[in-house]
Amino acid sequence: MSKKVKVGIAGASGYGGGELVHLLLNHPKVAIARLSAESNAGERLSSLFPNLPDLGILEKTSSVSSWNDLDILFTALPAGMSSRIVSMLPKPHPVVIDLGPDYRFREADDFKRVYHMEHGSPETLPFSSYGLVEGNRESIAGSRYIGSPGCFPTGALLGILPFLRSGFLGKTPFIVDGKSGVSGAGRGLTVDTHYPEIAEGMKAYKPLVHRHVPEMENAMRMFVGDANQVLFVPHLMPLNRGLISTIYLPLLDHVTPDMVGAALLEYQDENPFVRIVENPPNSSHVRGTNRVDIHAVTGKGTLVVMTAIDNLVKGAAGQAIQSMNLVLGEDEMTGLPMWGGFP
Amino acid sequence: MSKKVKVGIAGASGYGGGELVHLLLNHPKVAIARLSAESNAGERLSSLFPNLPDLGILEKTSSVSSWNDLDILFTALPAGMSSRIVSMLPKPHPVVIDLGPDYRFREADDFKRVYHMEHGSPETLPFSSYGLVEGNRESIAGSRYIGSPGCFPTGALLGILPFLRSGFLGKTPFIVDGKSGVSGAGRGLTVDTHYPEIAEGMKAYKPLVHRHVPEMENAMRMFVGDANQVLFVPHLMPLNRGLISTIYLPLLDHVTPDMVGAALLEYQDENPFVRIVENPPNSSHVRGTNRVDIHAVTGKGTLVVMTAIDNLVKGAAGQAIQSMNLVLGEDEMTGLPMWGGFP
Amino acid sequence: MSKKVKVGIAGASGYGGGELVHLLLNHPKVAIARLSAESNAGERLSSLFPNLPDLGILEKTSSVSSWNDLDILFTALPAGMSSRIVSMLPKPHPVVIDLGPDYRFREADDFKRVYHMEHGSPETLPFSSYGLVEGNRESIAGSRYIGSPGCFPTGALLGILPFLRSGFLGKTPFIVDGKSGVSGAGRGLTVDTHYPEIAEGMKAYKPLVHRHVPEMENAMRMFVGDANQVLFVPHLMPLNRGLISTIYLPLLDHVTPDMVGAALLEYQDENPFVRIVENPPNSSHVRGTNRVDIHAVTGKGTLVVMTAIDNLVKGAAGQAIQSMNLVLGEDEMTGLPMWGGFP
Amino acid sequence: MSKKVKVGIAGASGYGGGELVHLLLNHPKVAIARLSAESNAGERLSSLFPNLPDLGILEKTSSVSSWNDLDILFTALPAGMSSRIVSMLPKPHPVVIDLGPDYRFREADDFKRVYHMEHGSPETLPFSSYGLVEGNRESIAGSRYIGSPGCFPTGALLGILPFLRSGFLGKTPFIVDGKSGVSGAGRGLTVDTHYPEIAEGMKAYKPLVHRHVPEMENAMRMFVGDANQVLFVPHLMPLNRGLISTIYLPLLDHVTPDMVGAALLEYQDENPFVRIVENPPNSSHVRGTNRVDIHAVTGKGTLVVMTAIDNLVKGAAGQAIQSMNLVLGEDEMTGLPMWGGFP
């Protein structure tokens, strides 16, 4: 077997980082060479993730800037940290695939406006790509910095793009009603994610003002040059993994259900992780996979698209690896689960 | 103490019927005199509901037509059954409060169009009311037949009515994205409600074509004379009790956030079970109560209203009792929980 | 109506304190006069518990020692705090009912041995009682200080005492396999109670060494004068409320199933919150109530007893109120739910 | 690549069958050639399991007796069916690996006594093995018929065998307190597994009389020649997947904690899917894997062993494949997940 690609993960103690390790253990072309954490530095990975083997002691994230022996560096860090680390990495450095927000915008000003902080290495942005493979495949393959999309934008854009690019949609705001499992809120302890506060309950949060709104609007402009506004209400739901998006889109009068179906079929043909399903998708059917299940119906001048993803796989670690596969010139499905267990 | 009102419950083996019994046990003015079931007739109530005391053997629902000793008859039966039973009841008979759909429309044709069956006693419809107390108080108080609203229409209408009647809303369709706990699907065994099929999962169902759409549209016409269309997508969520509705309404340009707030305050003042909350409501905070928690935000020409109810209380048994209280001339809150336990 | 009893709650921001408020709101003889919290002092109760009405601002727990206008003081505080507050209360002070561990032992040394701290007012212990009403009714009624049992000891003792006092049991250790919902671990944020860490999972914790072991052994000595050892393994289960105990007891040869049944019937007759059930009890059938459901089977020289309680009601706030009722000379069931909703 | 082994699955519509398909899709040495179902025959696998790809139409299980082109036949069928099918298969037929109970006993009389029906092909029992690889590796490798253990016996035996064979245990009954996720109860609709009946609840069932008791006792006799009785109480818990067993064993006086630890280390060394963990195992850490996590503590003359498995993998489909690997002469880990995702 040829020499394996060396990857490191900065921020391996969170759920995104842990899922990266889990998935990469099954990837035939890579070897996990380095892992870091912040407050958990010095602990063993298998203490933090008893679901994983003992891959050794976690380094301090501040030492990542000295990791010069890697081919790929995944960063799963709070806003601003990965771009600051990039600015300290000696050149040439590994391709950086960020699961955080630092490379989700092409302009440092956009990042600053949304995250209220300076971008750590604005000079790298011209060499970066938004890591939604379904829509940005070629750009990603040639990038040095990839901003993996947020989980909600992933679920929303996968349902919007096939129809937006087809010119099927009117100009009124798109409505995205998102429902996420609690793992999407991360591993940090908060009252909202304390078990009894959300089990047997559900609620919306940050209605209309979530940071994923500008990310969605920006991505649509980038991919289609179009500028619909997005009304987005995320909801926290009492399950671990899974994200469904119910998307209400203004359908132009001339668009028939057959045209909707044809656009979706074309999208499925182009994208190996896209699957059209006959009924509204259940998030548990994509759990553990990098797949998105899509279903669409029309009525009263509206196109309703429902998508289901695993927020930690297609919504985070999985699509980051999908981007990595493109960078490495591999088939984008390499090492990524297409089918999962149920229930 | 004065003599208690005698009530019977036809269909006491389902979740709506069981919750009726639970709530009525704590009601100071009524005594439960008769209970029926269909396939479970002959069993003890406490075998079917080990959470409840032994109130004796369930009669056969077919015998309900001979129940001539009651003041109030609650019916929690499949579509068409309660109106057929009504047609067989000797006159004068008890006031009928139906938790099923038979009295949710004022016209037998509307019922037939939606439920694909004949109404069992169309001659009684002129004496019936739609049992949404918040908006229909006086009509209910004088009715002989009350059609308690469906759980989703309850959650939706409580969020729409304060603004629709104020003339704040435009003419485009209202979007209601509903999320219900599994008890809303009833006690009958189905694949969809088999534990492993929905635990750790979530999904939409019957998008745009659910029977609650005509009920919502009909109620709005009845209350406000207005005829907006409704785009409704219900979702099944992995919890027992709770129903949240995220409602996207076209806001007229002149309506300010202050006007929205004032309309909501007025609604709260008029309706003892309505409470405005500072954050998007969590369904677990209304569990076990007849309360609705409401929160509203505006943006991009849209009013987003979020409501939370307990689908088995405010969405079923509780509001049926609220209607009964009006019929009996009692305070509408009598015997109904305003505050519940948490978590 | 006669003047209401004034109660205060020190530690109203936790789940035990919140359930106390919820239950006391429905108690016909008391008025909630004062509430305190530690880090949440200065906030409104309804902000911390959106399920509850606005009862005003929480005082600082350190000011509880000046609460001299109460009849009853409930304390729901970490180990050692309530007895220290007691030592500062001016005499005569209200009857103290502690949901924490300070009054669960009659000897200060026992408390110190288990909790590794000094008892704050050992001079009060002679006037104190262990608040398990089923077994200690008379003592509680005459006490000034009541130590409400831990949730696991409650579930275990209710299953053991009817048989231990009957002399049915051998001398080998009693095995108590306890399963608790997550609310039993409190409202403080911990990794173990972060939603994704325990949802869709389950585990034992502190096997054999939990602090509830000496409490159980001590209570058995106190009630029956007998000194069996207890092997106790608690488990954390993915639900909010509910505690079931599966108890394996050495059955003496001469004890027949009929004798077991008779002892249980007698226990049920003596104790209004005890109910024998025909099948192993489901914790969801006692949710929201002060009831314990019990079922017992025998085989291979062993008596297996299964009990189900609501850990926040019978296991905490409810039985504290049950004790209060005795102190006040009321029926012990006053204001306490015997039957709850389901599901 | 060499020619793939052809496998068929009789009973692919249940959870065990579905997990077999899921796992075998990732197995490098086999091809799924045939699938059957009973009431779902004629449907597509991907309709029954939207988590799986479209592998075609399910045949009728009654036609399995004509499947003469397979190397391995997995049967996941109700008691008695697989042995009846075996009796109809033309000779020579594929190796049969049964996930049901037909080959869990070596004597037809034992099967009859427990399952109250005749064994369908008693003449095959001498060529059969009990499929618990950890303890029966060599026998399985040479067998034509393998009875994969029940999920509870798997969890219990993996915790008992390392100590029983070491002679550490006394003669009093072993106590096995088992807790299973709901998928363990199968895909058939029952009241007990209707979502609202068990979500937010938990209960024991069939205490002391579950059919897995004779299976456990029989396996211990077979492996160690010893005949301890088992007191077994299974519990249904509100999660999908996962099975933990808390096992209370009489420890002989001379056995030290070090000896316990050494026996466990030896067991881990011999068995690649056994892992000793530092804390009581959480079932979510083995989800999706064929691993068992074990932790043991001692006290008061008792050895408490806690094991965690995924009931559908190590407890069913996974260990059936582990047996298949032995039959095929492959490494027993081939195609089986050792590490899973979390949460």
Side-chain angles (χ1 to χ4, degrees):
Chain A
M1 184 179 287
S2 61
K3 196 153 155 292
K4 290 210 172 180
V5 170
K6 289 179 76 173
V7 309
I9 300 170
S13 58
Y15 293 140
E19 186 64 18
L20 267 176
V21 174
H22 169 233
L23 293 172
L24 290 172
L25 283 172
N26 292 315
H27 195 291
K29 302 298 177 86
V30 310
I32 300 171
R34 287 174 173 276
L35 299 168
S36 89
E38 195 66 32
S39 60
N40 297 110
E43 295 186 51
R44 307 198 80 83
L45 179 74
S46 55
S47 297
L48 297 173
F49 283 107
N51 60 305
L52 294 177
D54 185 5
L55 298 182
I57 302 286
L58 299 174
E59 299 181 52
K60 191 85 185 163
T61 293
S62 56
S63 70
V64 172
S65 56
S66 68
W67 290 3
N68 55 8
D69 53 349
L70 300 174
D71 301 301
I72 303 281
L73 171 61
F74 290 100
T75 49
L77 301 168
M81 278 189 69
S82 60
S83 55
R84 280 200 300 279
I85 285 174
V86 162
S87 72
M88 293 183 284
L89 282 173
K91 303 267 176 357
H93 57 244
V95 169
V96 174
I97 303 178
D98 185 27
L99 280 71
D102 290 21
Y103 288 94
R104 292 181 187 160
F105 297 91
R106 253 14 71 215
E107 304 292 334
D109 283 355
D110 287 341
F111 175 80
K112 184 178 179 181
R113 185 170 44 79
V114 178
Y115 288 93
H116 308 298
M117 60 178 73
E118 297 292 335
H119 194 277
S121 49
E123 73 283 3
T124 60
L125 286 172
F127 309 99
S128 74
S129 280
Y130 188 63
L132 188 78
V133 173
E134 292 78 9
N136 213 21
R137 212 167 257 107
E138 290 179 25
S139 172
I140 292 166
S143 285
R144 303 287 304 163
Y145 309 92
I146 294 162
S148 238
C151 53
F152 280 121
T154 303
L157 293 167
L158 290 169
I160 294 171
L161 291 179
F163 309 108
L164 183 62
R165 68 178 192 179
S166 301
F168 288 0
L169 306 178
K171 291 296 175 196
T172 54
F174 296 165
I175 291 174
V176 176
D177 193 283
K179 297 95 176 166
S180 174
V182 185
S183 67
R187 207 174 193 180
L189 305 185
T190 67
V191 172
D192 274 1
T193 54
H194 187 57
Y195 184 94
E197 302 287 320
I198 189 59
E200 269 290 303
M202 45 183 176
K203 63 167 190 174
Y205 62 99
K206 298 186 188 164
L208 304 189
V209 297
H210 194 283
R211 283 166 168 178
H212 284 165
V213 172
E215 182 182 338
M216 293 181 203
E217 291 176 348
N218 187 66
M220 288 193 286
R221 264 192 305 272
M222 178 172 57
F223 288 143
V224 193
D226 217 329
N228 274 65
Q229 288 184 305
V230 171
L231 288 158
F232 171 53
V233 181
H235 298 74
L236 196 61
M237 291 294 161
L239 70 165
N240 273 334
R241 281 196 194 213
L243 190 156
I244 63 173
S245 303
T246 313
I247 308 164
Y248 303 85
L249 301 170
L251 194 64
L252 293 178
D253 282 350
H254 73 279
V255 184
T256 65
D258 280 357
M259 291 164 69
V260 165
L264 216 41
L265 272 171
E266 188 185 347
Y267 198 59
Q268 179 180 255
D269 287 346
E270 296 167 4
N271 295 293
F273 285 115
V274 169
R275 184 176 69 155
I276 305 168
V277 288
E278 291 170 27
N279 297 298
N282 186 327
S283 65
S284 65
H285 296 147
V286 298
R287 191 170 49 226
T289 81
N290 201 51
R291 216 172 69 234
V292 57
D293 279 359
I294 303 187
H295 181 74
V297 297
T298 61
K300 300 176 181 170
T302 301
L303 171 61
V304 183
V305 189
M306 290 146 277
T307 64
I309 60 171
D310 181 321
N311 55 297
L312 291 180
V313 184
K314 183 58 185 164
Q319 75 178 340
I321 294 171
Q322 195 181 356
S323 284
M324 179 196 75
N325 285 336
L326 294 179
V327 168
L328 298 177
E330 298 286 340
D331 182 306
E332 73 186 68
M333 299 185 81
T334 304
L336 288 170
M338 179 70 182
W339 311 105
F342 174 83
Chain B
M1 184 180 287
S2 61
K3 194 152 156 295
K4 291 209 172 180
V5 170
K6 290 179 75 172
V7 308
I9 299 169
S13 58
Y15 293 141
E19 186 63 20
L20 267 176
V21 174
H22 169 232
L23 292 172
L24 291 171
L25 283 173
N26 292 315
H27 195 290
K29 303 298 177 87
V30 311
I32 300 171
R34 285 172 173 277
L35 299 169
S36 89
E38 196 65 31
S39 60
N40 296 111
E43 295 186 50
R44 308 197 79 85
L45 180 74
S46 55
S47 296
L48 296 173
F49 283 107
N51 59 306
L52 294 176
D54 184 4
L55 298 181
I57 301 286
L58 299 173
E59 298 181 52
K60 193 85 186 162
T61 293
S62 55
S63 70
V64 172
S65 56
S66 68
W67 289 3
N68 53 10
D69 53 349
L70 299 174
D71 301 301
I72 302 283
L73 171 61
F74 290 100
T75 48
L77 301 168
M81 277 190 68
S82 60
S83 55
R84 281 201 299 278
I85 285 174
V86 161
S87 73
M88 291 183 284
L89 281 173
K91 304 271 177 352
H93 59 244
V95 170
V96 174
I97 303 178
D98 185 27
L99 279 72
D102 290 22
Y103 288 95
R104 291 182 188 161
F105 297 92
R106 251 20 65 217
E107 305 293 333
D109 282 356
D110 287 341
F111 175 80
K112 183 177 178 181
R113 186 171 41 80
V114 178
Y115 288 91
H116 309 298
M117 60 178 72
E118 297 292 334
H119 194 278
S121 50
E123 71 285 0
T124 59
L125 286 173
F127 309 100
S128 73
S129 280
Y130 187 62
L132 188 78
V133 174
E134 292 77 10
N136 214 20
R137 214 167 255 108
E138 290 179 25
S139 172
I140 292 167
S143 285
R144 303 286 306 162
Y145 310 92
I146 294 162
S148 239
C151 52
F152 280 121
T154 302
L157 293 167
L158 290 169
I160 294 171
L161 290 179
F163 308 107
L164 184 62
R165 68 177 192 181
S166 301
F168 288 180
L169 306 179
K171 290 298 174 195
T172 54
F174 297 166
I175 292 175
V176 177
D177 192 283
K179 297 95 176 168
S180 174
V182 185
S183 66
R187 205 173 195 179
L189 306 186
T190 68
V191 172
D192 274 0
T193 55
H194 187 55
Y195 184 94
E197 301 287 321
I198 190 59
E200 269 290 303
M202 45 184 177
K203 64 168 190 175
Y205 63 98
K206 297 184 188 165
L208 304 188
V209 298
H210 194 283
R211 283 166 168 176
H212 284 165
V213 172
E215 182 182 338
M216 293 181 203
E217 292 176 348
N218 188 65
M220 288 193 285
R221 264 192 305 273
M222 179 172 57
F223 288 143
V224 193
D226 217 330
N228 273 65
Q229 287 184 306
V230 171
L231 289 159
F232 171 53
V233 180
H235 298 76
L236 197 61
M237 291 293 162
L239 71 165
N240 272 335
R241 281 199 192 209
L243 189 156
I244 62 173
S245 303
T246 313
I247 309 163
Y248 302 85
L249 302 169
L251 194 64
L252 293 178
D253 283 348
H254 73 280
V255 184
T256 64
D258 281 357
M259 292 165 68
V260 165
L264 217 41
L265 272 171
E266 187 185 348
Y267 198 59
Q268 179 180 255
D269 287 346
E270 296 167 3
N271 295 294
F273 285 114
V274 170
R275 184 177 69 153
I276 306 167
V277 287
E278 291 169 28
N279 297 297
N282 186 328
S283 66
S284 64
H285 296 148
V286 298
R287 191 170 50 225
T289 82
N290 201 52
R291 216 172 70 234
V292 57
D293 279 358
I294 303 186
H295 181 74
V297 297
T298 62
K300 299 175 181 171
T302 301
L303 171 61
V304 182
V305 189
M306 289 146 277
T307 64
I309 61 171
D310 181 321
N311 56 296
L312 290 180
V313 185
K314 183 59 186 166
Q319 77 177 340
I321 294 171
Q322 194 182 355
S323 284
M324 178 195 75
N325 285 337
L326 294 179
V327 168
L328 298 177
E330 299 286 340
D331 182 305
E332 74 187 68
M333 299 184 81
T334 305
L336 287 170
M338 179 69 182
W339 311 105
F342 175 82
Chain C
M1 184 179 288
S2 62
K3 194 153 157 292
K4 291 209 171 180
V5 170
K6 289 179 75 172
V7 309
I9 300 169
S13 58
Y15 293 141
E19 186 64 20
L20 267 176
V21 174
H22 169 233
L23 292 172
L24 290 172
L25 283 172
N26 292 316
H27 195 290
K29 302 299 176 87
V30 310
I32 299 172
R34 287 174 173 277
L35 299 168
S36 89
E38 194 67 31
S39 60
N40 296 112
E43 295 186 52
R44 307 198 79 84
L45 180 75
S46 55
S47 296
L48 296 173
F49 283 107
N51 60 305
L52 294 176
D54 184 3
L55 299 181
I57 301 286
L58 299 174
E59 299 180 53
K60 192 85 185 163
T61 293
S62 56
S63 70
V64 172
S65 57
S66 69
W67 290 3
N68 54 9
D69 53 349
L70 300 175
D71 301 301
I72 302 282
L73 171 61
F74 290 100
T75 48
L77 301 168
M81 278 190 68
S82 60
S83 54
R84 281 201 299 277
I85 284 175
V86 162
S87 71
M88 292 183 284
L89 282 173
K91 304 265 176 352
H93 57 244
V95 169
V96 174
I97 303 176
D98 185 28
L99 280 71
D102 290 21
Y103 288 95
R104 290 181 189 160
F105 296 92
R106 252 17 70 216
E107 305 292 333
D109 283 354
D110 287 340
F111 175 79
K112 184 177 178 182
R113 186 172 41 82
V114 178
Y115 288 92
H116 308 299
M117 60 178 73
E118 297 292 334
H119 194 277
S121 49
E123 72 284 2
T124 60
L125 287 173
F127 309 99
S128 74
S129 280
Y130 188 62
L132 188 78
V133 173
E134 291 78 11
N136 214 19
R137 212 167 257 109
E138 290 180 26
S139 172
I140 292 167
S143 285
R144 304 287 305 164
Y145 309 93
I146 294 161
S148 239
C151 51
F152 280 121
T154 303
L157 292 168
L158 290 168
I160 294 170
L161 290 180
F163 308 108
L164 184 62
R165 68 177 193 181
S166 300
F168 289 179
L169 307 179
K171 291 296 174 196
T172 55
F174 296 166
I175 291 176
V176 176
D177 192 283
K179 297 96 176 166
S180 173
V182 185
S183 67
R187 206 174 194 179
L189 307 185
T190 67
V191 172
D192 274 0
T193 55
H194 187 57
Y195 184 93
E197 301 286 321
I198 190 58
E200 270 290 301
M202 45 183 176
K203 64 167 189 174
Y205 63 99
K206 298 186 188 165
L208 305 189
V209 297
H210 194 282
R211 283 167 167 176
H212 284 166
V213 172
E215 182 181 338
M216 292 182 203
E217 292 176 348
N218 188 64
M220 287 193 286
R221 264 192 305 272
M222 180 171 57
F223 289 143
V224 193
D226 216 328
N228 273 65
Q229 288 185 305
V230 171
L231 288 159
F232 172 52
V233 181
H235 298 76
L236 196 62
M237 291 294 162
L239 71 165
N240 273 334
R241 282 197 193 211
L243 190 156
I244 63 173
S245 303
T246 313
I247 308 164
Y248 302 85
L249 301 170
L251 195 63
L252 294 178
D253 282 350
H254 73 279
V255 184
T256 64
D258 280 357
M259 291 164 69
V260 166
L264 217 41
L265 272 171
E266 188 185 346
Y267 198 59
Q268 179 180 255
D269 287 345
E270 296 166 4
N271 295 295
F273 285 115
V274 169
R275 185 177 68 153
I276 305 166
V277 288
E278 291 169 28
N279 297 297
N282 185 329
S283 66
S284 65
H285 296 148
V286 297
R287 191 170 50 224
T289 82
N290 201 53
R291 216 172 69 234
V292 56
D293 280 358
I294 303 187
H295 181 74
V297 297
T298 61
K300 299 176 180 169
T302 301
L303 171 61
V304 183
V305 189
M306 290 145 278
T307 65
I309 60 171
D310 181 321
N311 55 297
L312 290 180
V313 184
K314 183 58 184 164
Q319 77 178 340
I321 294 172
Q322 194 182 355
S323 284
M324 179 194 75
N325 285 336
L326 293 179
V327 168
L328 297 177
E330 299 285 340
D331 183 306
E332 73 186 68
M333 300 185 80
T334 304
L336 287 170
M338 180 69 183
W339 310 105
F342 174 82
Chain D
M1 183 179 289
S2 62
K3 196 155 157 290
K4 291 210 172 180
V5 170
K6 290 180 76 172
V7 308
I9 300 170
S13 58
Y15 293 141
E19 186 64 20
L20 267 176
V21 174
H22 168 233
L23 293 172
L24 290 172
L25 283 172
N26 292 315
H27 195 291
K29 301 298 177 86
V30 311
I32 300 172
R34 287 174 172 276
L35 298 168
S36 88
E38 194 67 31
S39 60
N40 297 111
E43 295 185 52
R44 308 197 79 84
L45 179 74
S46 56
S47 297
L48 296 174
F49 283 107
N51 60 306
L52 294 177
D54 184 5
L55 298 181
I57 302 286
L58 298 173
E59 298 180 53
K60 192 85 186 163
T61 294
S62 56
S63 69
V64 172
S65 56
S66 69
W67 290 3
N68 54 8
D69 53 350
L70 300 174
D71 301 301
I72 302 283
L73 171 61
F74 290 100
T75 48
L77 301 168
M81 278 189 69
S82 60
S83 56
R84 281 200 298 279
I85 284 175
V86 162
S87 72
M88 293 182 284
L89 282 174
K91 304 269 175 354
H93 58 243
V95 170
V96 174
I97 302 177
D98 185 28
L99 281 70
D102 290 21
Y103 288 94
R104 292 181 188 161
F105 297 91
R106 251 20 67 216
E107 303 293 333
D109 282 356
D110 287 340
F111 175 79
K112 183 177 178 180
R113 186 172 42 82
V114 178
Y115 288 92
H116 308 298
M117 60 178 72
E118 298 291 335
H119 194 277
S121 49
E123 72 284 2
T124 61
L125 286 173
F127 310 98
S128 73
S129 280
Y130 187 61
L132 188 78
V133 174
E134 292 78 11
N136 214 20
R137 215 168 254 109
E138 289 180 26
S139 172
I140 292 167
S143 284
R144 303 287 305 163
Y145 309 92
I146 294 162
S148 238
C151 51
F152 281 120
T154 302
L157 292 168
L158 290 168
I160 294 170
L161 291 179
F163 308 107
L164 184 61
R165 68 177 192 180
S166 301
F168 289 180
L169 306 178
K171 290 297 175 195
T172 55
F174 296 167
I175 292 175
V176 177
D177 193 283
K179 297 94 175 168
S180 173
V182 184
S183 67
R187 205 173 195 181
L189 306 185
T190 68
V191 172
D192 274 359
T193 54
H194 187 56
Y195 184 94
E197 302 286 321
I198 189 59
E200 268 290 302
M202 44 183 177
K203 64 168 190 173
Y205 63 99
K206 297 185 189 163
L208 304 188
V209 297
H210 194 284
R211 284 166 167 177
H212 284 165
V213 172
E215 183 182 338
M216 292 181 203
E217 292 176 347
N218 188 65
M220 288 192 286
R221 263 191 305 272
M222 179 171 57
F223 288 143
V224 194
D226 217 330
N228 273 66
Q229 287 184 306
V230 171
L231 288 159
F232 171 53
V233 180
H235 298 76
L236 196 60
M237 291 294 161
L239 71 165
N240 273 335
R241 280 197 194 211
L243 190 156
I244 63 173
S245 303
T246 313
I247 309 164
Y248 303 84
L249 302 170
L251 194 62
L252 293 178
D253 282 349
H254 73 280
V255 184
T256 65
D258 279 357
M259 291 164 69
V260 166
L264 217 41
L265 272 171
E266 187 185 347
Y267 198 58
Q268 179 180 255
D269 287 345
E270 295 167 3
N271 295 294
F273 285 116
V274 169
R275 184 177 69 154
I276 306 167
V277 288
E278 291 169 28
N279 298 297
N282 186 327
S283 66
S284 65
H285 296 148
V286 298
R287 191 169 49 223
T289 81
N290 201 53
R291 216 173 67 235
V292 56
D293 280 358
I294 303 187
H295 180 74
V297 297
T298 60
K300 300 175 180 170
T302 300
L303 171 62
V304 182
V305 189
M306 289 146 277
T307 64
I309 60 171
D310 181 321
N311 55 297
L312 290 180
V313 185
K314 183 58 185 165
Q319 77 178 341
I321 294 171
Q322 193 182 355
S323 284
M324 178 196 76
N325 285 336
L326 294 179
V327 168
L328 298 176
E330 298 286 341
D331 182 305
E332 75 185 67
M333 299 184 81
T334 305
L336 287 170
M338 179 70 183
W339 310 106
F342 174 83

